[in-house]
């Protein structure tokens, strides 16, 4: 009988069963509250913006201070940012990307972390006890225009939050210290925590919509590239939109370089980069230059990996395309944020 | 109910305790019954808060509410009051409407505060160890008798993942998974591969590209899936691996291998249909 290598499994954190039981206990209370108090369960009423009369008899609110927006802040979103929210939503600003985009994660409604993607901050204040990294969003500065700074994360808190974020989006293992401060994994398809996450995700949907619109706006190609310079510029634009995803996944500020073999004219290529759930990278190339049909190029990653990509014609669209998969194991060990690759004629 | 004047005075003050007597009485008259009712419902033993005769009760209830809402003692801990009044501002067209919305929002916050107070100070706090008795694990996790029990939802210790220090063994396991997956991939019916590819790429079986690769209509593909379900094929893979490796290896390691092989099969389908052969039908299906 074949013997498998002996895998070394992590020791579950002490008290994980109790933590799960406590989370369900509070969720049970929450469901009871909703059943017993129909008003409690409803999303807050809101008039259409044109019908609102601001500050009628309610005094002056403190001005928003988004001009002070910076990484490491804890901010309270203004009452109009998430119309469906029944509670004040605080967010941690985890990173600033390029083009005025920020990575933020909301603090959760409960005092226990639900899953391994929620982190117990160790703070005493109820609204800031649990940070939900699974619900992180990249948002434009304008989405945070109506918010107030209320506190800062310490450097250690910021580093821990980013580590949990990396764990969620790239599968990086958590340290034992952080594993002690997150919830339990979801292993059952009918786990009620899935419904809880769906609720929380819906609440943040306006931010996701705003981010999508903003990205579409800034990555809209202006004209068809015709020269090498224009091609590279266009290529850069496509890369940048995806690069943000890598940067989001790595939790580091975007420092990507796009290095192309400049020794020859490479006409209009586009590349979209997908990161698979197992960490593999899928590079999807297309070309509008029909002379590339059936031509093969090398994809050079860090001068090490040289898979080839052949451009084939799609019988329906007439577009030339080719894909290449770079296995996770062959990616540079120093992370995606410093990935460079070239497309080269052999 | 508190008057607008009382609400506004409270808004300006740092805490209930600093409000004038009349304001304090109005506000605590609103907050205390909500909190006491909720705390009592959750845990009658939570004293003295739930003791209706306790003289300090209104102060405690108001303190609980403010403590629950207060985010920080740092820069600007009172911004939540701006949020509360702003939410009310957006909810009503008239002063009465806004006031009603304010009361509703504040009442909801009181209820959430009572919920967390009961959770924090209640039974589990006094009995921090979850009983390992079967009846504890057999109780429904959320009170729904048809829902999963706590025992169903408890992760197996291996769900916490592999120890990073065991990377070499994990890599070796991956190599075995790759080898096994390549073997099983060759035996998968071609249309099952298309179905698996559709699942991996989250496409419905009716998607144009899926049908193009399958080389048939949706009804034919669905019939194939009925007669030779993908799930059944994957179960055969799993049981075959179980039979091969099960007797000699820990069950969690075998489960890990099965998961990796099935994941790898998905990857192979992705490579098959998304790379060099894109735009072509499967030769076998023509």
């Amino acid at each position: 009988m074949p013997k498998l290598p002996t895998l070394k499994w992590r020791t579950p954190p002490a008290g994980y069963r109790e933590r799960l039981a406590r989370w369900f206990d509070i969720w049970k209370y929450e469901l009871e509250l909703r059943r017993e108090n129909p008003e409690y369960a409803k999303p807050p009423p809101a008039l259409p913006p044109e019908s609102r009369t601001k500050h009628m008899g309610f005094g002056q609110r403190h001005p928003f201070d988004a001009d002070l927006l910076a990484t490491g802040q804890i901010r309270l979103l203004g009452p109009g940012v998430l119309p469906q929210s029944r509670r004040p939503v605080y967010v941690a600003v985890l990173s600033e990307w390029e083009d005025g985009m920020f990575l933020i994660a909301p603090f959760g409604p409960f005092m226990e972390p639900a899953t391994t993607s929620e982190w117990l901050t160790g703070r005493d204040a109820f609204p800031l006890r649990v940070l939900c990294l699974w619900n992180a969003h990249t948002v434009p500065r304008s989405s945070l225009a109506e918010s107030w700074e209320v506190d800062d994360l310490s450097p250690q808190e910021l580093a821990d939050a980013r580590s949990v974020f990396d764990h969620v989006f790239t599968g990086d293992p958590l340290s034992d210290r952080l594993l002690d401060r997150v919830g339990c994994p979801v292993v059952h398809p009918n786990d009620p925590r899935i419904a809880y996450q769906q609720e929380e995700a819906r609440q943040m949907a306006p931010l996701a919509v705003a981010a999508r619109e903003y990205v579409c706006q800034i990555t809209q190609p202006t004209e068809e590239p015709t020269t090498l310079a224009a091609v590279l510029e266009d290529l850069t634009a496509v890369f940048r939109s995806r690069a943000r995803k890598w940067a989001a996944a790595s939790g580091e500020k975007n420092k990507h370089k796009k290095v192309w073999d400049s020794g020859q004219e490479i006409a209009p290529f586009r590349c979209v980069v997908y990161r698979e759930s197992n960490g593999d990278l899928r590079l999807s190339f297309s070309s509008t230059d029909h002379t590339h049909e059936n031509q093969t190029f090398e994809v050079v990653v860090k001068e090490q990996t040289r898979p080839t990509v052949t451009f084939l014609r799609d019988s329906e669209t007439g577009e030339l395309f080719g894909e290449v998969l770079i296995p996770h194991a062959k990616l540079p060990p120093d992370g995606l944020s410093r990935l460079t690759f070239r497309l080269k004629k052999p | 109910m508190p008057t607008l004047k009382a609400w506004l005075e409270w808004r300006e003050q740092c805490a209930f305790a600093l409000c004038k007597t009349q304001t304090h009485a109005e506000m605590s008259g609103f907050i205390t019954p909500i909190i006491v009712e909720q705390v009592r419902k959750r845990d009658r033993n939570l004293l003295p808060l739930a003791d209706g005769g306790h003289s300090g009760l209104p102060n405690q209830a108001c303190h609980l509410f403010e403590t629950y809402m207060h985010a920080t003692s740092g820069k600007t801990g009172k911004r939540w009051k701006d949020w509360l009044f702003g939410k009310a501002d957006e909810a009503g067209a008239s002063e009465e409407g806004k006031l009603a919305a304010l009361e509703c929002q504040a009442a909801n916050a009181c209820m959430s505060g009572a919920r967390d107070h009961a959770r924090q100070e209640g039974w589990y706090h006094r009995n921090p160890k979850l009983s390992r008795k079967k009846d504890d694990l057999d109780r429904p996790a959320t009170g729904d008798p048809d829902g999963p029990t706590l025992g169903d939802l408890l992760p197996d210790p291996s769900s916490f993942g592999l120890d990073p220090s065991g990377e070499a063994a994990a890599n070796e396991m991956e190599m075995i998974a790759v080898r096994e997956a390549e073997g099983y991939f060759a035996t998968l019916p071609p249309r099952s591969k298309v179905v698996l590819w559709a699942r991996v790429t989250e496409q419905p079986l009716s998607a144009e590209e899926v049908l193009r690769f399958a080389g048939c209509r949706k009804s034919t593909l669905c019939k194939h899936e009925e007669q030779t379900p993908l799930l059944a094929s994957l179960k055969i893979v799993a049981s075959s691996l179980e039979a091969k490796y099960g007797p000699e290896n820990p069950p969690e390691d075998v489960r890990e291998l099965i998961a990796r092989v099935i994941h790898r099969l998905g990857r192979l389908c992705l490579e098959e249909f998304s790379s060099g052969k894109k735009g072509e039908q499967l030769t076998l299906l023509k």
Side-chain angles (χ1 to χ4, degrees), chain B:
Chain B
M1 290 294 177
T3 57
L4 179 59
K5 190 178 160 209
W7 280 109
L8 291 176
E9 186 191 332
W10 167 70
R11 182 183 185 174
E12 292 310 312
Q13 296 297 339
C14 284
F16 284 110
L18 299 174
C19 291
K20 290 177 191 156
T21 312
Q22 175 63 24
T23 302
H24 190 279
E26 283 182 37
M27 295 300 291
S28 63
F30 169 69
I31 287 168
T32 309
I34 299 171
I35 288 189
V36 168
E37 185 195 351
Q38 292 304 326
V39 171
R40 273 184 172 163
K41 268 186 195 166
R42 311 299 155 210
D43 192 337
R44 289 196 67 81
N45 295 320
L46 274 181
L47 295 172
L49 183 62
D51 176 1
H54 196 282
S55 58
L57 192 57
N59 281 339
Q60 285 189 52
C62 292
H63 179 67
L64 189 153
F65 170 62
E66 287 188 321
T67 308
Y68 176 70
M69 296 296 282
H70 212 66
T72 167
S73 53
K75 296 182 179 173
T76 48
K78 270 196 340 176
R79 291 292 180 264
W80 62 272
K81 290 187 179 177
D82 283 330
W83 181 90
L84 198 63
F85 281 81
K87 209 72 177 166
D89 248 339
E90 292 180 0
S94 63
E95 190 175 295
E96 291 72 30
K98 289 174 193 290
L99 203 54
L102 182 61
E103 283 161 4
C104 183
Q105 285 291 323
N108 286 349
C110 287
M111 286 190 247
S112 299
R115 175 199 70 199
D116 281 14
H117 176 77
R119 177 75 276 292
Q120 179 163 273
E121 304 295 332
W123 186 86
Y124 270 105
H125 186 65
R126 295 191 303 276
N127 302 278
K129 272 285 173 195
L130 177 68
S131 161
R132 305 223 167 199
K133 282 187 298 189
K134 197 169 181 306
D135 56 345
D136 254 9
L137 296 179
D138 279 350
R139 67 183 166 90
T142 60
D144 172 7
D146 298 326
T149 64
L150 196 59
D152 292 333
L153 305 175
L154 265 178
D156 183 277
S158 65
S159 307
F160 289 90
L162 292 167
D163 193 310
S165 66
E167 199 183 342
N171 288 343
E172 203 184 325
M173 178 72 96
E174 184 64 21
M175 299 290 282
I176 295 172
V178 168
R179 204 172 55 236
E180 291 285 0
E182 280 166 359
Y184 287 114
F185 186 68
T187 67
L188 270 187
R191 280 185 179 140
S192 292
K193 290 181 187 173
V194 178
V195 175
L196 181 53
W197 175 74
R199 299 278 180 258
V200 171
T201 54
E202 295 179 357
Q203 296 186 76
L205 294 187
S206 56
E208 199 180 323
E209 206 172 16
V210 174
L211 297 177
R212 186 152 53 86
F213 287 143
C216 62
R217 289 168 179 272
K218 185 190 166 195
S219 55
T220 315
L221 187 58
C222 289
K223 198 171 171 190
H224 165 82
E225 179 59 5
E226 268 174 32
Q227 289 169 350
T228 321
L230 171 67
L231 189 61
S233 304
L234 296 183
K235 276 183 180 166
I236 291 170
V237 171
S239 54
S240 159
L241 287 166
E242 178 73 43
K244 184 174 176 184
Y245 292 98
E248 286 290 319
N249 299 284
E252 60 270 24
D253 288 6
V254 178
R255 277 201 301 274
E256 174 71 11
L257 176 70
I258 292 171
R260 286 177 185 234
V261 168
I262 290 177
H263 181 261
R264 200 70 211 171
L265 284 173
R267 299 288 323 145
L268 288 169
C269 287
L270 207 57
E271 286 170 24
E272 176 97 358
F273 297 110
S274 303
S275 58
K277 291 189 181 173
K278 188 162 181 176
E280 300 169 14
Q281 282 187 342
L282 280 176
T283 318
L284 284 168
L285 299 176
K286 278 183 178 172

Side-chain angles (χ1 to χ4, degrees), chain A residues 13-30 110-114 120 129 180-184 193, chain B residues 115-116 118-130 139 141-142 150 154:
Chain A
Y16 74 98
R17 296 152 51 99
E18 287 77 11
R19 175 162 290 166
L20 186 69
R22 286 196 301 267
W23 190 88
F24 277 110
D25 208 37
I26 204 164
W27 179 242
K28 197 173 78 182
Y29 282 6
E30 172 69 11
F110 303 131
M111 46 197 274
E112 291 289 346
L120 198 58
R129 290 193 177 191
D180 267 342
R181 292 171 62 179
V182 295
C184 283
R193 287 175 290 171
Chain B
R115 175 199 70 199
D116 281 14
R119 177 75 276 292
Q120 179 163 273
E121 304 295 332
W123 186 86
Y124 270 105
H125 186 65
R126 295 191 303 276
N127 302 278
K129 272 285 173 195
L130 177 68
R139 67 183 166 90
T142 60
L150 196 59
L154 265 178

Side-chain angles (χ1 to χ4, degrees), chain A residues 281-295:
Chain A
L281 214 59
R282 187 154 55 91
L283 310 180
S284 179
F285 295 95
S286 63
S287 169
T288 52
D289 184 340
H290 289 182
T291 63
H292 289 144
E293 186 170 356
N294 297 324
Q295 285 199 5

